[in-house]
Amino acid sequence: MAKMKAAMAAVLVMEKEGITQAFGVPGAAINPLYAQLRERQTISHVLARHVEGASHMAEGYTRAKAGNIGVCIGTSGPAGTDMVTGLYSASADSIPILCITGQAPRARLHKEDFQAVDITSIVKPVTKWSTTVLEPAQVPRAFQQAFHLMRSGRPGPVLIDLPFDVMMAEIEFDIDTYSPLPVYKPAATRAQIDKALDMLAEAERPLIVAGGGIINADASELLVEFAELTGIPVIPTLMGWGTIPDDHPLMAGMCGLQTSHRYGNATMLASDFVLGIGNRWANRHTGSPEVYCKGRKFIHVDIEPTQIGRVFAPDYGIVSDAKAALELFVQAARERAAQRKLPERSAWAAECQDRKRDIQYLRKTNYDSVPMKPQRVYQCMNNAFGKDVTYVSTIGLSQIAAAQFLHVYGPRQWINCGQAGPLGWTVPAALGVRAADPSRKIVALSGDYDFQFMLEELAVGAQFKLPYLHIVVNNSYLGLIRQSQRGFGMDYCVQLAFDNINTPADEAVRSYGVDHIKVVEGLGCKAIRVHRQEEIAPALRQAEAWMEEYRVPVVVEVLLEQITNIAMGTEIDNVVEFEELAANKSDVPTAIAAAMLD
């Protein structure tokens, strides 16, 4: 067998497991691994400006394409603690990423050595597995186990911590005979699928709730086929947005307290049966189970056994990978269709479609005011981008409004950290998506505060030629928190506006505080600011030209009115509409059903 440093064995295993890209920040304690990466030259590396940024880049890389696993690398101590947010975000959304940290030599671990911290204990709650490898000969098997665990069952992140002397030690290892471990995913049985279809057959107004597990399993085509075979309308969750195209006749809208459509909530309330696949009944989708579950039965299909019954007890539960279940659902539905044993659902589907194009269920977007209302910005985005665009966003009023007004037409075209929602996620995640797919049309969307959290990562896009378009809707507020503070009768510590002494007094942006254009340009990227809707289309054309010419991220900042309350509520039957509803077609020219409105 070949003799090599344990760090080299780690690199060779990653190669065999299909890794070609990593994101990270070198440091003294992880330099042995970087030395082997340099020697092999098989894994490209993007140098982040912050280790948390590297972890979010790894997330974006994984989320961009089925089968990807993002890798982020950092040194000992604070590098690992910086990655905790990325690990939490990945764990919450079932996203496999591999975090590798350096560590003090084994003999120094108990001596409070410089930057020596028990990182495996710190990250245990937000990983599928975390380990400090204490024996050099175990390094290749630790990496083998990591990839096996990340891909098996419910996907999720892993952290491997490597002491300096462990990486430097020589071991015997034969990479030529190495093979990845078989992946385990639970699968539904045909008997379970037949029982589920029998229960569905008794329903009059059934719905499918399509979760992010369908996208993780690369099963969106199967979901659409099953919906079409059965005629059952689909409600995607926020993480499942794109499993069925927004303009599909069976796409019934999204349900929830914030990122939802009025017609989606109305359809959920009108249903009598829900088949949830690859979803976790997140509270911002359901509200209280008392309201969400009243008057309807539930089947829950999920890859993780402990998710079934976690939020509420379904009438029937199936532990299965979404793709394995949908393959059987499609097979069984085809057989029943051939035997004419599937119930007729056309009237119910038409009722759901009628709600989708009913003007009373549509929110107005066509405003002409200056400063702009955010609704008009999303209308302009719908006009500007085709069906092949991929949106990247995280949290805040900007993201909530995006889910209410934008359109998504395919899986992995809405890339969003759903449960964790860390501010600052959008910039590095978008860079990770770009690294995964050099040709994709990527539009990131941030409010000003999300943008300010990790905007230093734009320098990474400039250095490594990772162009994408970033739209910043700037109201100079922590908008979502300001809106939630209304219940406390306050507007406290959420204002980002200040009089910027470096901005001319006659410029409208002076009172908004941070001059994002100057900052972006200082980081080596291009930026343009717009004040009114007629400026947006030319700005987007200029951004496209700059990306083509310079191959760097381009920011388009849109100055908004500072106070806009976006629709949200405490229950799916109690969503408060703060702004105008549509009165006619001219109020909603880019709504999905606008072409069908009288």
Side-chain angles (χ1 to χ4, degrees), residues 31-163:
N31 271 341
L33 182 68
Y34 272 93
Q36 307 310 314
L37 289 170
R38 176 179 176 272
E39 181 175 329
R40 291 291 297 173
Q41 294 291 316
T42 52
I43 297 175
S44 298
H45 183 273
V46 167
L47 173 62
R49 295 306 191 264
H50 191 294
V51 189
E52 181 187 341
S55 69
H56 297 324
M57 291 175 199
E59 281 192 80
Y61 184 85
T62 296
R63 294 172 192 253
K65 185 179 178 183
N68 275 10
I69 290 184
V71 175
C72 51
I73 307 172
T75 192
S76 58
T81 58
D82 284 343
M83 290 182 189
V84 171
T85 302
L87 288 166
Y88 165 40
S89 177
S91 176
D93 292 342
S94 305
I95 303 299
I97 64 171
L98 175 61
C99 290
I100 306 170
T101 53
Q103 182 56 275
R106 287 169 290 177
R108 306 293 302 175
L109 289 179
H110 65 294
K111 297 180 184 293
E112 296 188 3
D113 209 38
F114 178 68
Q115 293 189 338
V117 68
D118 185 1
I119 190 63
T120 59
S121 296
I122 290 171
V123 304
K124 185 177 180 180
V126 292
T127 55
K128 286 194 74 173
W129 183 52
S130 62
T131 185
T132 298
V133 185
L134 296 177
E135 295 298 333
Q138 290 187 316
V139 168
R141 299 309 164 192
F143 277 79
Q144 186 178 40
Q145 174 76 337
F147 285 99
H148 171 68
L149 288 173
M150 284 188 286
R151 293 172 174 143
S152 293
R154 180 185 180 183
V158 165
L159 181 139
I160 298 179
D161 187 44
L162 299 173

Side-chain angles (χ1 to χ4, degrees), residues 166-248:
V166 168
M167 286 185 280
M168 293 295 291
E170 290 206 336
I171 63 171
E172 297 279 356
F173 180 59
D174 186 358
I175 189 62
D176 293 331
T177 60
Y178 177 92
S179 182
L181 294 174
V183 172
Y184 164 73
K185 291 190 180 295
T189 66
R190 180 57 190 265
Q192 290 173 318
I193 297 301
D194 284 335
K195 179 178 174 67
L197 288 177
D198 289 343
M199 293 174 69
L200 273 170
E202 297 174 1
E204 294 182 6
R205 301 178 304 281
L207 293 173
I208 300 168
V209 168
I214 294 174
I215 291 176
N216 287 348
D218 201 27
S220 297
E221 290 184 4
L222 288 167
L223 180 277
V224 173
E225 184 177 359
F226 177 62
E228 290 173 346
L229 280 166
T230 59
I232 300 176
V234 178
I235 297 269
T237 67
L238 181 66
M239 296 304 295
W241 197 12
T243 49
I244 186 168
D246 270 8
D247 57 355
H248 193 286

Side-chain angles (χ1 to χ4, degrees), residues 576-590:
V576 179
E577 300 292 338
F578 298 95
E579 300 290 327
E580 293 178 68
L581 297 178
N584 51 56
K585 180 180 176 179
S586 64
D587 285 340
V588 285
T590 64

Side-chain angles (χ1 to χ4, degrees), residues 358-388:
D358 189 334
I359 199 72
Q360 71 170 311
Y361 291 115
L362 299 177
R363 299 172 174 119
K364 181 177 178 178
T365 59
N366 199 24
Y367 292 93
D368 294 322
S369 53
V370 177
M372 292 182 66
K373 282 187 171 292
Q375 292 88 339
R376 182 58 186 262
V377 180
Y378 301 111
Q379 178 178 304
C380 292
M381 291 170 67
N382 285 332
N383 282 325
F385 307 125
K387 290 187 176 183
D388 61 341

Side-chain angles (χ1 to χ4, degrees), residues 407-531:
H407 310 313
V408 174
Y409 297 96
R412 301 180 192 275
Q413 289 182 231
W414 172 257
I415 294 180
N416 189 106
C417 51
Q419 183 186 346
L423 288 167
W425 188 88
T426 309
V427 172
L431 293 168
V433 175
R434 170 56 75 224
D437 188 345
S439 63
R440 189 181 303 201
K441 182 190 296 183
I442 299 169
V443 176
L445 176 66
S446 290
D448 44 307
Y449 206 44
D450 169 50
F451 186 63
Q452 290 174 18
F453 256 57
M454 299 200 78
L455 59 74
E456 77 281 349
E457 302 302 328
L458 285 174
V460 176
Q463 180 179 355
F464 291 91
K465 302 301 180 186
L466 299 170
Y468 75 93
L469 174 61
H470 203 128
I471 295 179
V472 177
V473 284
N474 183 2
N475 63 0
S476 200
Y477 248 111
L478 305 187
L480 177 57
I481 310 309
R482 174 202 56 74
Q483 186 168 330
S484 71
Q485 285 187 354
R486 295 173 77 254
F488 295 88
M490 66 181 185
D491 183 336
Y492 182 65
C493 293
V494 290
Q495 307 91 345
L496 295 173
F498 62 90
D499 205 28
N500 190 326
I501 60 172
N502 296 307
T503 304
D506 59 345
E507 285 194 25
V509 72
R510 179 183 175 97
S511 65
Y512 276 64
V514 175
D515 189 334
H516 295 120
I517 306 302
K518 290 180 181 177
V519 177
V520 170
E521 290 176 345
L523 291 166
C525 300
K526 301 291 283 184
I528 188 169
R529 180 181 294 122
V530 300
H531 299 266

